Amino acid sequence: MEKPCVLATTFGAPGAIYQCFAPVIEKHFTVIPHEEFVNNKHHFAHKISAVFVWGGALKVDRNLLQILPNLKVVVNGGVGVDHLDIPLINSFGIKVCNTPHVVDNATADIGMALMLATARNLIYGHNYSASHETEEWDLPESSMGTDVSGATLGIIGMGRIGYKVAKRASSFEMKILYHNRNRRKEEDEKAVGAVYCEKMDELLQKSDFVMVVVNLSPDTQKLIGWRELSMMKPLGTLINISRGPVVDQEALVHALQSGVIRAAALDVTYPEPLPRSHPLLTLPNVIVLPHMGSHTVGTSQLMVERMVTNALAALSGDQPTDEVKA
């Protein structure tokens, strides 16, 4: 039986699915690399029934949708689909799927890693060890970190990932506050020792570390701005593992430069990557990662497998587990 065709960026190309995961897809699909498609659209267009999007390398726009008459599903690797125009895609009768749940643990892990790294000045410590030229350690007073164990963590967005962060933080004997659109069940709160803050302002004022774990939506654009940063403790740290536009980066730069907060640790920015001249890349009290929240071998494998499962369901006429609707 002939395999269905999927359009995807060439395996191993910048921003594409890594070559090591190719067999997972090729077991079920004939892969048409986007580069080959661009050079011979008329030959491939009618064959393509699915599109795999990994990062932002492949753009699904009106022009593409109009020339793929047999396209049934667009599958995104990862949870966030803010780079996809879902109403537009749905208007062509095409389903959209993502890969939630499988990224939860890895993303919660990166949140904890960022908190620990910035609290204990790990990047500074590594650079010091690599560059010092004296025979003895002579760490300056400014190199001292802040304690994580026993500190207060404020989690903004207590969904699946936020709750997994809370579970991890409870093992560090942290006091946990959270703000969410909906309060979690009492048993969920008790399991991790979390206290609900109806007003985000209260969380900001009381937390030593503030971790942002919300979805990007019109309501969360620049959710954290100058007003919110000004409410944080002077020794407070902001950690963003959600989406870049959730934080007003100009306000964040000002807050970091003026000492309004101690530090920031970001897995996400806007744009991605930041321009080389952006001040967030030069400030000593910031850690910026290249959106590595789900960037592990195991999680990436699960994401690719989930993409295949969703695509096969859509093509067979079944309801995909992870369909995202406008």
Side-chain angles (χ1 to χ4, degrees):
M1 184 176 176
E2 188 175 350
K3 298 176 185 176
C5 292
V6 61
L7 176 66
T9 306
T10 302
F11 295 132
I17 297 171
Y18 291 128
Q19 183 66 45
C20 60
F21 301 120
V24 178
I25 300 173
E26 291 172 338
K27 180 179 179 181
H28 302 279
F29 292 93
T30 297
V31 179
I32 298 175
H34 185 251
E35 291 75 5
E36 291 185 22
F37 168 75
V38 169
N39 292 327
N40 201 349
K41 293 179 182 178
H42 295 296
H43 175 70
F44 291 118
H46 71 283
K47 299 180 180 181
I48 295 169
S49 56
V51 171
F52 281 3
V53 178
W54 188 271
L58 200 161
K59 305 296 182 185
V60 181
D61 55 18
R62 184 179 295 275
N63 291 334
L64 179 64
L65 296 169
Q66 287 176 333
I67 60 174
L68 300 180
N70 296 314
L71 182 62
K72 298 292 188 297
V73 63
V74 173
V75 186
N76 181 71
V79 180
V81 290
D82 46 279
H83 55 294
L84 296 175
D85 189 338
I86 298 176
L88 173 66
I89 298 170
N90 287 166
S91 73
F92 282 81
I94 300 163
K95 296 181 183 296
V96 176
C97 301
N98 63 350
T99 59
H101 307 293
V102 296
V103 305
D104 296 355
N105 280 320
T107 307
D109 288 348
I110 207 77
M112 294 300 294
L114 284 169
M115 179 165 60
L116 289 163
T118 187
R120 300 303 303 273
N121 290 332
L122 297 189
I123 304 298
Y124 172 87
H126 169 77
N127 292 336
Y128 179 90
S129 296
S131 62
H132 86 285
E133 296 179 356
T134 60
E135 294 183 0
E136 297 180 358
W137 299 129
D138 186 23
L139 289 166
E141 181 180 332
S142 61
S143 68
M144 287 193 295
T146 59
D147 288 313
V148 171
S149 296
T152 300
L153 170 63
I155 300 173
I156 300 175
M158 193 67 130
R160 298 186 316 274
I161 296 172
Y163 193 73
K164 286 182 178 289
V165 169
K167 282 185 174 181
R168 288 155 173 74
S170 66
S171 298
F172 282 80
E173 300 176 349
M174 300 188 81
K175 303 175 187 70
I176 300 168
L177 307 177
Y178 78 97
H179 173 74
N180 202 50
R181 285 179 300 179
N182 302 304
R183 184 170 182 171
R184 294 194 71 111
K185 296 177 181 178
E186 185 177 353
E187 55 263 37
D188 290 345
E189 294 179 343
K190 286 183 176 179
V192 295
V195 175
Y196 179 62
C197 295
E198 185 177 354
K199 301 293 184 182
M200 189 169 69
D201 294 1
E202 179 186 1
L203 179 149
L204 293 167
Q205 292 164 352
K206 292 182 177 179
S207 300
D208 300 302
F209 300 91
V210 174
M211 193 175 302
V212 187
V213 204
V214 299
N215 293 323
L216 179 62
S217 70
D219 291 336
T220 60
Q221 289 265 1
K222 295 190 177 180
L223 179 69
I224 305 298
W226 176 252
R227 174 184 175 277
E228 290 72 28
L229 293 165
S230 299
M231 289 184 178
M232 291 176 59
K233 295 181 179 181
L235 293 178
T237 296
L238 179 73
I239 301 149
N240 187 11
I241 59 171
S242 59
R243 282 293 185 269
V246 170
V247 175
D248 182 338
Q249 288 182 172
E250 288 187 15
L252 178 60
V253 168
H254 183 38
L256 291 164
Q257 290 175 330
S258 59
V260 168
I261 63 173
R262 171 185 174 271
L266 313 172
D267 184 44
V268 290
T269 59
Y270 69 92
E272 292 179 351
L274 288 172
R276 298 299 85 194
S277 60
H278 199 284
L280 283 174
L281 299 177
T282 61
L283 291 172
N285 51 346
V286 184
I287 296 174
V288 179
L289 298 184
H291 204 151
M292 299 175 71
S294 58
H295 196 65
T296 70
V297 174
T299 298
S300 297
Q301 171 90 17
L302 290 173
M303 288 167 64
V304 173
E305 290 174 353
R306 193 66 165 259
M307 292 173 76
V308 169
T309 299
N310 280 313
L312 290 174
L315 297 184
S316 65
D318 296 330
Q319 176 61 39
T321 304
D322 305 310
E323 182 177 2
V324 182
K325 297 182 179 179

